[in-house]
Amino acid sequence: MEIMEIIIDALVYPINNIKALVIYVVLGIIAGIAVGGTVVGVATGAAINNSALAGGLGIIGVLISVIIFLLIAGYELDIVKFGIKRDPGAPGIDIVRQVSNAIKLIIVDIVYYIIPVILAAVIGFLIGNGLIPSIVIILITIIFSIAAFMARCRLAKTDDLGEALAIGEAIGDISRVGILKIILLAVLVIIIAFILLLIIGAITNWNSTIGGILMGIFFVYMAFFTNRAIGLLYSDV
């Protein structure tokens, strides 16, 4: 797909899937309630000098919060999957699979982002500081950061951790998608987000309540828009 086709599709995707937006918002609200309830519960337990109550409520609240946040991450991964398939619909809730995929995604991110750190440490130890080592480290970091997005797409497409951790294939996907295409899409997404934030900021200055509501909608909209765009970008691979 061409870049403008991807952008237009991704822009209207959240609007065409209002039900999915509502599901996502509800998940976010539940996560917020879980976090807030945890804080209140722990504070109450501490106030009445009941460490067992505070600890128990804290553990339960943290577990619920973690599960919900993992579910949200897995749901976003499914939005990428639907983009790769160019399916105009939106994913439903599949708790076990989506939470499992979110855990896999965490592992993928750790692997792809820790490698540049290790390489930077090795380069610094062997060569030392300087312009050339710094440039090499920056390039390695950029490559692995983009490869991490390719790995996210590979995981979304296959649900297979092994496929996502095939680092050579993920780096190869960068050239298959097109580095300039990836950079251009990233720039356009940032510009669109910036324009929307400017509009919401102006509305907030006029009415803070409406602005606050729009800001919440903005974050949900951008989650759908960005993940849809990532999936569509990878759909030609």
Side-chain angles (χ1 to χ4, degrees), residues 58-134:
I59 292 172
I60 293 172
V62 168
L63 285 175
I64 294 174
S65 302
V66 168
I67 290 172
I68 296 297
F69 282 120
L70 287 174
L71 181 57
I72 289 173
Y75 192 84
E76 291 178 351
L77 205 60
D78 274 352
I79 294 176
V80 176
K81 179 192 287 287
F82 275 58
I84 294 172
K85 296 189 297 183
R86 299 187 187 180
D87 187 333
I93 297 295
D94 186 340
I95 296 177
V96 174
R97 188 181 60 80
Q98 287 166 343
V99 168
S100 172
N101 278 347
I103 294 172
K104 293 175 187 176
L105 183 60
I106 291 172
I107 295 171
V108 168
D109 284 341
I110 290 173
V111 170
Y112 277 84
Y113 286 105
I114 202 172
I115 290 176
V117 173
I118 295 172
L119 291 176
V122 172
I123 291 171
F125 178 77
L126 295 177
I127 303 176
N129 297 323
L131 179 59
I132 294 177
S134 297

Side-chain angles (χ1 to χ4, degrees), residues 80-201:
V80 176
K81 179 192 287 287
F82 275 58
I84 294 172
K85 296 189 297 183
R86 299 187 187 180
D87 187 333
I93 297 295
D94 186 340
I95 296 177
V96 174
R97 188 181 60 80
Q98 287 166 343
V99 168
S100 172
N101 278 347
I103 294 172
K104 293 175 187 176
L105 183 60
I106 291 172
I107 295 171
V108 168
D109 284 341
I110 290 173
V111 170
Y112 277 84
Y113 286 105
I114 202 172
I115 290 176
V117 173
I118 295 172
L119 291 176
V122 172
I123 291 171
F125 178 77
L126 295 177
I127 303 176
N129 297 323
L131 179 59
I132 294 177
S134 297
I135 292 174
V136 171
I137 290 170
I138 290 171
L139 288 175
I140 290 173
T141 302
I142 291 172
I143 290 171
F144 273 88
S145 296
I146 298 175
F149 276 99
M150 298 296 102
R152 173 186 291 260
C153 293
R154 294 174 69 84
L155 178 60
K157 184 177 182 178
T158 65
D159 292 343
D160 188 335
L161 181 59
E163 286 291 326
L165 291 178
I167 296 174
E169 288 296 318
I171 293 176
D173 284 344
I174 297 175
S175 61
R176 284 186 279 271
V177 172
I179 184 66
L180 292 179
K181 198 172 181 180
I182 294 171
I183 293 173
L184 180 57
L185 181 65
V187 170
L188 287 174
V189 168
I190 292 170
I191 290 173
I192 290 169
F194 181 71
I195 292 172
L196 290 176
L197 282 174
L198 284 180
I199 296 171
I200 294 172

Side-chain angles (χ1 to χ4, degrees), residues 206-229:
W206 169 66
N207 187 304
S208 59
T209 301
I210 295 176
I213 294 171
L214 289 177
M215 185 60 73
I217 294 173
F218 165 79
F219 286 114
V220 176
Y221 178 88
M222 285 305 298
F224 274 64
F225 166 64
T226 304
N227 285 290
R228 176 69 174 182

